[in-house]
Amino acid sequence: MYRLLLIMLCAYCVILKCSSCANIIPPGGGPKDSLPPVLVKATPDVMSKNITPKKIILSFNEYIQLQELGKNLIVYPTPKNIPTITSHLKSVTINIKDTLKPNTTYVFELGNAIADINENNTINHFTYVFSTGDHIDSLTISGKVVLAETGKIDSTMVAVLHRKHYDSAVFKERPDYYTKINGNGYFNFRFLPKDSFDIYALKDETGAKKYISLTQLFAFNNKPVIAGEADSITLYAYAAEKETPKVNATTPQKITAKDSLLFTTNIENGQQDILSNLEIKFNTKISLFDSSKIFLTDTQQVRNSIAYLPLDSNKQKITLTHIWKPNTKYNLIVLKGAVKDSSGKTFNKNDTISFITKKIEDYGSIKLKFSNLPENKALVLMLIQNDQLVESAPIKGTEWYRKLFNPGEYDIRILLDKNENGKWDPGDFKQHIQPEIVEPISQRLTIRANWDNELEIKL
């Protein structure tokens, strides 16, 4: 009996010990830090007056770092020399290199550049303000920048203010104030003095904040605005000139049997779109083109009547125009020596490309119904696919119809055609002519093949 009790007692102790070991829980790491750093002290204080500091020290409650400072930093009034900004442990130091103007409110926007070390929590829109005078300016100018040709937004643009009221200032002078445009196209100047400004928006790829090229996106307001008195302003940006596509230079070389000129066409999967011209594209510039050696035939080798459009501006594309018959077989004949490029390359042999035109059933019809059309306004319908203009046509009434149209998804835009020439025209800053405005329609047009497609558009 005693032996049995002793065995049971030992077994109980072993079970108790194992149970105790199994329930040991290691200490946890604590909750994750999700809070951004907090400013605990600024020297001089934020919103200080009557000061001309050369150094500003910002102290935070935890270890911090600066990230993408160049993308975030905005200082205004615009300094001649960008201040040096560094971080160490829990502080940020701003060293000012300019002589500060009297009676001026200075703003240092660090955006989202300040973050903690451990979890990379950022302080959103951090701003430090002080004044060299006896008050802090508090007026604002706000607005929106829209791309006139598309109605879209380009958040890489900046808005700038100039006190000097002459047109060449935006070409030659640094702006007095500038700010960034957000993802929705809006800008907001804060802490402005009571003053009159010319306001512009521009694409600033060089960092100069100047209008330096006619291919640059640019917008201007027709008249100066007074801080604190202007309603929200809409600026319509445009590029006065299109950028010229770069053309690869060619080097003259000796012609050999393998040096045949290469070309492609817009014939897809052996089919030609009956709504489009036939295009022949080359990989180099064309210097000689013999139209008698490029032609169309039917299956009986009978030549078809065609016309040739002039070479494009890059001299790399030949366009053949023809009234296509649906579901019909054709041959594109390219004879030896038809084309020669600037280096002397040509076709070393005759070539034939056989294809068939699309059927009527491969297309869909469109009927668009418009409501709330503005009176006495010339409007142009623009259909866009992959950012390319596919169709444009004046809107003459409340309905627009096309019997044949290529299937696909299309964006819709409406052009307010001020000069009634049927196309979008950019602005002219020298003449103070604003660009024509395009309104994007939120609805998308879906065209299905062999289908009557209808859509109602309310302007």
Side-chain angles (χ1 to χ4, degrees), residues 320-331:
L320 289 69
T321 66
H322 182 65
I323 300 175
W324 304 105
K325 295 179 181 179
N327 197 30
T328 302
K329 294 181 179 180
Y330 291 88
N331 295 318

Side-chain angles (χ1 to χ4, degrees), residues 60-299:
F60 297 88
N61 66 334
E62 57 182 317
Y63 295 105
I64 55 90
Q65 61 183 330
L66 294 174
Q67 53 188 13
E68 296 186 321
L69 184 61
K71 293 182 179 180
N72 283 277
L73 178 64
I74 295 177
V75 181
Y76 55 81
T78 307
K80 292 181 180 179
N81 301 293
I82 302 298
T84 301
I85 302 179
T86 57
S87 65
H88 179 67
L89 300 179
K90 297 182 180 182
S91 67
V92 170
T93 301
I94 302 174
N95 287 296
I96 299 174
K97 299 180 180 181
D98 281 356
T99 300
L100 300 178
K101 300 176 182 179
N103 300 313
T104 301
T105 298
Y106 281 87
V107 179
F108 291 77
E109 292 186 356
L110 274 68
N112 303 330
I114 302 175
D116 64 30
I117 291 289
N118 294 325
E119 300 295 342
N120 205 37
N121 298 311
T122 60
I123 307 176
N124 294 326
H125 310 298
F126 183 87
T127 303
Y128 177 85
V129 181
F130 70 89
S131 175
T132 59
D134 58 6
H135 71 282
I136 300 290
D137 294 322
S138 59
L139 301 179
T140 63
I141 295 175
S142 61
K144 186 177 184 180
V145 181
V146 179
L147 301 185
E149 187 175 8
T150 64
K152 294 183 178 181
I153 303 301
D154 187 337
S155 60
T156 64
M157 298 182 68
V158 296
V160 301
L161 299 179
H162 282 267
R163 278 194 171 101
K164 296 177 180 179
H165 298 299
Y166 53 87
D167 289 349
S168 61
V170 72
F171 298 97
K172 299 178 180 179
E173 308 283 348
R174 291 179 300 106
D176 294 284
Y177 297 84
Y178 80 93
T179 192
K180 295 180 180 179
I181 295 168
N182 69 19
N184 295 318
Y186 291 98
F187 62 87
N188 185 29
F189 291 96
R190 301 181 296 161
F191 304 104
L192 294 177
K194 185 75 170 182
D195 208 340
S196 175
F197 298 94
D198 284 335
I199 181 169
Y200 308 95
L202 49 87
K203 186 89 166 181
D204 184 38
E205 294 181 347
T206 65
K209 312 294 185 299
K210 298 176 183 178
Y211 186 28
I212 58 178
S213 170
L214 293 179
T215 62
Q216 187 178 359
L217 281 174
F218 176 73
F220 64 94
N221 201 51
N222 285 331
K223 59 183 180 180
V225 296
I226 299 175
E229 296 184 9
D231 295 329
S232 183
I233 299 163
T234 300
L235 301 176
Y236 292 95
Y238 65 93
E241 296 179 0
K242 299 291 185 181
E243 290 188 7
T244 303
K246 295 181 179 179
V247 179
N248 294 328
T250 58
T251 303
Q253 53 187 298
K254 183 179 179 181
I255 305 301
T256 66
K258 295 182 179 180
D259 286 326
S260 182
L261 193 61
L262 301 178
F263 71 94
T264 60
T265 71
N266 60 338
I267 299 170
E268 296 183 359
N269 300 320
Q271 290 186 313
Q272 169 66 32
D273 180 7
I274 65 175
L275 305 178
S276 303
N277 296 323
L278 196 161
E279 297 178 350
I280 304 174
K281 298 180 180 179
F282 301 89
N283 60 340
T284 59
K285 280 190 174 184
I286 300 304
S287 61
L288 175 65
F289 165 46
D290 185 349
S291 61
S292 67
K293 294 184 177 181
I294 298 180
F295 51 88
L296 289 174
T297 69
D298 59 21
T299 54

